[in-house]
Amino acid sequence: MIIHVPANMIRQRQLVIKSARQLLHSNKSSISLRSFSAGSCAGNQNDNQKVGHTKIKSVSAGLPDWIEHWSRDNFRKVGYGMAGASALAVASGEPSISVTLVTTTVAYWAIGLNDIRQDNQTIRRNFPVLGNIRYLLESIRPEIRQYFIEGDNDSVPFDRSHRTIAYVRAKGKDSVLPFGTKKDVDQIGYSWANHSMFPTKLGEQRVIIGQNNPKTTQPYSASLLNISAMSFGALSDRAILALSSGAKLGNFYHNTGEGAISKFHKDGGADLVWNIGTGYFGCGTFAD
């Protein structure tokens, strides 16, 4: 049977379908386009319909039909079927089957009714029981990606290869892998460091702070590499003493951080950069 409808109505449906398909392909969203019908065609649920001489074919999101058509009514129908199967199992006198079916049915109804009554998550409310699978998969998504999808060099800030090296070295084992590397050394942008064929001797490289400033009364010869600001409160007395002693041996300065200058800074004998910070609690001289 062919139903003739006005041509402008057909064009409107075609424009709606075209816009929806563009949205589907641009946003990669799981939009399911159903056949559009009007008038006496409103009750027709077939995926392929003929409206006039235009055949409209639905575009599915790739999910099974029973998932796309799942609703509260379908939830109740399945629940009634499970209840009937449980009653038959109980009547048959098989305890193992009866307990399994009854327990599954009770859990099914409890979860589904709770999903329908709650108003915090629309997916669970519209798709009772079945909607929980979405949140289950979402909760284990990091583990699925970590163990099955991501590569050894994909994760940030530390990828799996570097974490593995840290774990192995923490156990006191050898972290060196023979026979080259697993990284793609031929990719564009890959950087590496080559060993020098002959020993290289570099002279002492320092910079004179305040050399070009006429207002500087005491220019300071500083190393290019020094110990940055780490306060006494963030470390310990032994750590501060070790850092200051190392700075003395290496002839570079030690920044005190915001924790003031302690006796352990001075005992190391290195040049100190006094980090006053905000100066909220003030600052003063050494207490000899």
Side-chain angles (χ1 to χ4, degrees), residues 171-188:
K171 297 178 181 178
K173 299 180 180 179
D174 188 6
S175 62
V176 178
L177 296 177
F179 307 111
T181 177
K182 295 181 179 179
K183 296 183 178 180
D184 184 7
V185 297
D186 294 327
Q187 68 177 347
I188 299 176

Side-chain angles (χ1 to χ4, degrees), residues 69-238:
H69 293 290
W70 187 259
S71 63
R72 301 179 189 179
D73 293 335
N74 292 337
F75 157 74
R76 294 187 178 92
K77 292 178 182 179
V78 173
Y80 296 148
M82 295 176 63
S86 300
L88 292 177
V90 172
S92 65
E94 292 289 340
S96 58
I97 299 178
S98 301
V99 172
T100 301
L101 287 177
V102 171
T103 303
T104 304
T105 303
V106 171
Y108 175 85
W109 278 100
I111 295 174
L113 294 177
N114 179 66
D115 291 340
I116 294 174
R117 294 191 184 100
Q118 61 86 31
D119 55 3
N120 295 325
Q121 296 172 327
T122 306
I123 294 180
R124 290 175 53 202
R125 187 176 179 86
N126 293 334
F127 302 91
V129 179
L130 199 62
N132 291 276
I133 300 178
R134 185 258 190 186
Y135 299 100
L136 174 63
L137 296 177
E138 186 179 42
S139 65
I140 62 176
R141 177 182 177 275
E143 288 76 12
I144 293 177
R145 173 173 173 80
Q146 178 181 0
Y147 293 114
F148 300 104
I149 299 177
E150 76 174 14
D152 291 338
N153 303 311
D154 292 343
S155 182
V156 292
F158 300 104
D159 52 46
R160 175 172 289 274
S161 61
H162 286 87
R163 293 200 306 268
T164 302
I165 291 176
Y167 296 154
V168 172
R169 290 179 178 177
K171 297 178 181 178
K173 299 180 180 179
D174 188 6
S175 62
V176 178
L177 296 177
F179 307 111
T181 177
K182 295 181 179 179
K183 296 183 178 180
D184 184 7
V185 297
D186 294 327
Q187 68 177 347
I188 299 176
Y190 181 82
S191 59
W192 68 94
N194 285 336
H195 292 287
S196 176
M197 296 297 294
F198 302 96
T200 301
K201 181 179 292 186
L202 297 176
E204 188 176 20
Q205 300 183 11
R206 306 182 70 85
V207 60
I208 306 300
I209 299 177
Q211 183 179 14
N212 299 322
N213 188 351
K215 296 183 179 180
T216 302
T217 59
Q218 295 181 347
Y220 177 71
S221 176
S223 174
L224 297 180
L225 298 177
N226 304 276
I227 298 178
S228 62
M230 291 181 288
S231 63
F232 175 80
L235 300 176
S236 65
D237 51 358
R238 294 179 180 272

Side-chain angles (χ1 to χ4, degrees), residues 16-84:
V16 171
I17 295 174
K18 182 179 180 180
S19 300
R21 285 177 176 172
Q22 291 176 351
L23 178 63
L24 174 65
H25 293 296
S26 62
N27 296 337
K28 297 180 180 180
S29 56
S30 58
I31 301 175
S32 178
L33 305 181
R34 288 299 173 195
S35 302
F36 293 85
S37 57
S40 59
C41 299
N44 193 347
Q45 298 297 327
N46 293 330
D47 286 345
N48 299 325
Q49 295 180 351
K50 286 186 177 180
V51 181
H53 295 286
T54 303
K55 185 177 181 180
I56 303 175
K57 186 177 181 180
S58 65
V59 180
S60 176
L63 299 175
D65 290 340
W66 67 272
I67 294 181
E68 294 186 359
H69 293 290
W70 187 259
S71 63
R72 301 179 189 179
D73 293 335
N74 292 337
F75 157 74
R76 294 187 178 92
K77 292 178 182 179
V78 173
Y80 296 148
M82 295 176 63

